[in-house]
Structures are given as C-alpha cells and as structure tokens.
Amino acid sequence: MTSRPLESFPRPSVAVDTAVLTVVDRHVAVLLLPELESLPVRLPGTFLHEGELLADAVLRSLRQKAGVRGLAPRQLHVFDAVDRDDRGRVLSVAFIDVVRSSLLRPDAMLVSVGDLPRLAFDHDRIVAFAVEELRREYRELPDPRGLLGDAFTLSELRGVHEVVLEAELLPDTFRRSMLPNLVATGELSREGRGRPAEVYRRG
C-alpha cells in the first residue's frame, strides 16, 4: 500500500499563545496586548515560522510583542476548534507561565482574570484553562510557582493561596496541609504587633 503524500492532507496554520499570570493587588492577573487595528485585546502570541520550534516561537512572541524576556513558559493545551479563527484553520498551542509582577515591564497591561475585556479568538478560554491549572497546583503544594520569595511565613503563604484560589482558608487546616512540604529556616519574622512568626522555605 502506497502512502499518500503530505500535500494531500489539510495543513492548518499553527499559532502559539501564552497566558502569563501574576498577582497584582490581591488578584490573579494576566498579561495582555492592547487593541491593535482590527485585533481586539489578546494574549501575546504569534504564528509558528518554518523550521521553528514551538518553545522558540513562544519566547519570540513574548520578546517582540510584550517586551518580556527571561521567562520559561511550558505547554498547557492545544486549542483546535475549527472556527476559532475566522481567517482560516488555525491551531493554537497554548503555553503558561506564572511570575512575580516585578519581572514584567512597569507598563505591562495586567488585567484581573475576573474582569477581562473582550479578547480575540478564543483567548478567554485559554486564560480560563490557565487559571484552573494554576489553582490545581496551589491546592496541592505551597506556592509552587514562586509568587512569594524563597522564604516566607505561613501567614504570607496562606495569603497568596487565598488570592489564587479565591477562597478563605482556615489557618489551622492550611498549616497542617502545607507543613509536610515546608522546611523551617530557624528565622523569625515580626508581623504587626503579634508574636514573631516562624519563617519557612519550600521543601
């Protein structure tokens, strides 16, 4: 049996889009690009060039479109709805990264994921998928994406988890669930007028 040549199969365009998430003013926020000509507000993204790796296309789009360097996005999901782009058949390989806001440009367009404007294509679905992935990680491990520094108190840790999960967490329950994955540094931090709090790092 002779195989059919590749040219006989449909060849959709491939795009990469990245949801860069952070925390700003006690809200999870996403990095967006402002409206441009006929394109609404959208995630940083680009089309894959011939001979280019997906990871390289992602870094190129972040550098050229958003002025961001030094990130390490990882693949999140492939969005392949037939009608996701009215210009033709386009597959989007979505990526995610989660960083402290200080690593982004001071003039970066950071928008709360709970107050998104109309986004281009299906970028709202990509953001929702990325946020759910972030929350899944924060249900299991202490600040796995490093939104805090290397050392922190349990109160600080609980605070960032409450922001990500959009839920109030009981201090004692949270402490019991997180302690197995934490290492005490032996240092103390004074928080307000209360007794000094123990400082931990991730185990």
Side-chain angles (χ1 to χ4, degrees):
M1 177 177 166
T2 304
S3 61
R4 294 166 59 188
L6 288 178
E7 291 76 12
S8 65
F9 294 95
R11 303 184 67 183
S13 298
V14 177
V16 292
D17 296 295
T18 306
V20 179
L21 303 177
T22 188
V23 168
V24 178
D25 297 330
R26 292 193 60 79
H27 292 283
V28 175
V30 63
L31 174 66
L32 298 175
L33 300 181
E35 186 175 355
L36 177 65
E37 297 177 353
S38 60
L39 283 176
V41 178
R42 63 210 179 281
L43 295 171
T46 189
F47 283 98
L48 186 68
H49 290 176
E50 185 174 356
E52 187 177 39
L53 297 177
L54 290 168
D56 293 335
V58 168
L59 296 180
R60 173 172 59 81
S61 70
L62 290 171
R63 182 177 64 252
Q64 295 180 353
K65 303 286 183 67
V68 179
R69 300 172 183 268
L71 302 189
R74 64 177 177 80
Q75 192 169 321
L76 176 68
H77 188 70
V78 176
F79 291 82
D80 62 351
V82 174
D83 59 351
R84 64 175 305 275
D85 191 322
D86 58 13
R87 296 171 296 181
R89 186 69 195 280
V90 179
L91 307 183
S92 174
V93 183
F95 283 70
I96 182 175
D97 206 349
V98 184
V99 299
R100 280 173 273 177
S101 59
S102 59
L103 297 179
L104 303 174
R105 291 170 47 141
D107 61 348
M109 183 179 180
L110 299 175
V111 179
S112 169
V113 297
D115 192 27
L116 293 175
R118 185 175 73 89
L119 300 183
F121 314 118
D122 54 358
H123 288 190
D124 57 336
R125 291 189 60 221
I126 296 177
V127 172
F129 202 101
V131 170
E132 183 50 43
E133 172 66 12
L134 176 67
R135 289 175 178 161
R136 183 192 64 77
E137 295 177 5
Y138 273 70
R139 292 186 191 104
E140 300 174 0
L141 294 171
D143 188 28
R145 291 296 193 141
L147 289 169
L148 296 171
D150 293 331
F152 41 79
T153 66
L154 277 170
S155 177
E156 291 169 335
L157 182 65
R158 190 176 82 255
V160 77
H161 277 248
E162 288 181 335
V163 170
V164 170
L165 299 174
E166 288 191 335
E168 185 175 347
L169 303 173
L170 297 174
D172 289 344
T173 303
F174 180 77
R175 177 187 181 90
R176 287 195 298 270
S177 67
M178 291 293 120
L179 276 180
N181 295 297
L182 295 174
V183 176
T185 65
E187 300 176 0
L188 297 176
S189 173
R190 183 170 294 279
E191 298 179 337
R193 298 181 179 180
R195 56 187 294 184
E198 194 163 8
V199 175
Y200 295 88
R201 60 178 175 81
R202 299 168 193 85

